[in-house]
Amino acid sequence: MRKRFGIPVSIAITVAGAFAAAKTPNGKPPITGDPAPGDPLSVTIGQRKPVRVRVARNQATLIRIPEGQRVMNVYGGDKGEGGVWAIDAGKVPTRFLAIKPKEKGIHTTLHVISNMGQEISFFIEEVTGIDAQFDAEIDVESDGAASREPEAKWVPADEAMACKQRAATLTLDLEQASQKARNEIAEAARKAQSKTDAALVDYQSQYPQRLFFGYTWDASKARKLGLEAAWSDDKFTYFKGSKVLALYEINEDGKPSLIQYSYANGIYTVPKLLYDGYFAIGDKKQNKLTFHRERGKS
């Protein structure tokens, strides 16, 4: 009976020892292998208690701060012995921050400040051999105050300089474009004036050839009525006289019609070609002066 009882006792002790050896000091089975990425961690900016973040050796954990904000400053300090951390916020401020531990079992605190003056604190812990998963992605959400689109408090110096340089470049470009436009307008005006002057010179040189002085009338009666000369070009009829008289045109049917004209500086200007007509003062025959121009002549 003792031999049959002794075998099970020995087996029980052996199995119990095996289970004891398979447990860590905290009573949980040991974690083997590198931790795998877990579900994205969501936190709220401005919360007072640092957020625990699990990270894995040689693995990058990405932190995204709220839309419209950028990472301006990052403060952190190694708490593990010999811990080495890689923290990358990029060369140009963005809403992204990457953390990567290079040693096992290290931890540190990390404080992130945005350009809106808002902050979020993390307790970063490397969990290889401790946890089966690590936080590969962290989304930092805005709180109620942050949702009001707070005014930016900081602007990166290189961005401010780039903006100033861009503004200076735009100002210079605008001035150059304006000067170019002024030069083009001036050149166009010069060409237009030159063309006008050339046309005027050509017209003036050709105009005398268009004048016709072949009107006939009674010269003595014309002098009594103050009329001195009559001529026309290809569009208008002109009379020179010291008195303002009524002017009539005699059409091809022999009927007279009163003609409208302008009178200035002793010159009658009639806006049409007159061939036959007369000047008159009242109804007396001696105060009537007829004139004639041959048709088809210029």
Side-chain angles (χ1 to χ4, degrees):
M1 291 298 292
R2 290 184 180 178
K3 291 182 181 180
R4 288 197 304 269
F5 182 77
I7 294 174
V9 171
S10 177
I11 294 174
I13 293 173
T14 302
V15 172
F19 274 105
K23 294 182 179 180
T24 59
N26 58 9
K28 296 182 179 180
I31 303 297
T32 59
D34 293 332
D39 294 333
L41 178 63
S42 179
V43 299
T44 302
I45 198 167
Q47 64 185 56
R48 304 310 303 170
K49 184 177 180 180
V51 179
R52 179 177 180 269
V53 177
R54 303 166 300 171
V55 295
R57 181 185 57 173
N58 296 328
Q59 299 293 327
T61 292
L62 180 65
I63 298 176
R64 289 183 287 259
I65 67 173
E67 285 279 0
Q69 300 192 40
R70 288 172 291 180
V71 176
M72 289 303 301
N73 286 310
V74 179
Y75 304 99
D78 293 339
K79 296 300 181 181
E81 296 181 359
V84 179
W85 295 87
I87 301 175
D88 185 8
K91 295 181 180 180
V92 177
T94 65
R95 58 185 290 250
F96 303 103
L97 174 67
I99 305 171
K100 182 167 65 174
K102 297 185 178 181
E103 299 289 342
K104 293 177 61 175
I106 60 176
H107 58 274
T108 186
T109 53
L110 186 74
H111 308 282
V112 181
I113 312 298
S114 79
N115 63 321
M116 303 297 184
Q118 296 183 312
E119 63 182 79
I120 182 73
S121 297
F122 301 96
F123 177 73
I124 312 296
E125 182 180 10
E126 201 285 323
V127 294
T128 301
I130 300 175
D131 203 319
Q133 292 183 330
F134 73 99
D135 301 309
E137 298 180 34
I138 304 170
D139 287 309
V140 181
E141 306 294 340
S142 296
D143 60 8
S147 63
R148 297 195 300 266
E149 297 293 337
E151 180 182 357
K153 296 186 177 182
W154 293 291
V155 176
D158 54 348
E159 183 175 335
M161 181 59 67
C163 290
K164 291 181 180 179
Q165 292 175 348
R166 180 59 177 166
T169 300
L170 290 176
T171 301
L172 180 60
D173 291 345
L174 179 60
E175 178 59 30
Q176 292 176 345
S178 299
Q179 185 60 48
K180 182 180 179 181
R182 289 194 292 268
N183 293 340
E184 290 177 350
I185 293 173
E187 180 64 16
R190 186 190 65 77
K191 290 182 178 180
Q193 186 62 47
S194 177
K195 187 176 181 179
T196 301
D197 293 344
L200 179 61
V201 170
D202 180 67
Y203 178 80
Q204 291 174 336
S205 65
Q206 298 294 327
Y207 185 71
Q209 302 177 21
R210 299 189 180 99
L211 297 179
F212 177 76
F213 293 88
Y215 283 87
T216 58
W217 59 21
D218 187 328
S220 61
K221 188 177 287 188
R223 285 193 296 271
K224 289 180 181 180
L225 295 177
L227 293 168
E228 301 177 21
W231 70 95
S232 66
D233 54 22
D234 53 353
K235 294 181 179 180
F236 296 86
T237 301
Y238 308 93
F239 299 95
K240 184 178 182 181
S242 58
K243 298 178 181 180
V244 178
L245 308 174
L247 175 61
Y248 295 84
E249 179 184 19
I250 300 175
N251 58 32
E252 293 180 356
D253 296 331
K255 296 181 179 180
S257 59
L258 187 64
I259 294 296
Q260 297 294 325
Y261 61 84
S262 62
Y263 181 83
N265 300 320
I267 301 296
Y268 293 80
T269 301
V270 183
K272 65 181 295 186
L273 289 179
L274 295 179
Y275 292 94
D276 292 285
Y278 61 88
F279 287 95
I281 300 178
D283 297 329
K284 293 183 179 180
K285 186 176 181 179
Q286 63 270 23
N287 293 332
K288 180 179 179 181
L289 173 65
T290 61
F291 59 84
H292 172 72
R293 179 190 191 278
E294 291 293 331
R295 293 180 181 275
K297 292 186 178 181
S298 59

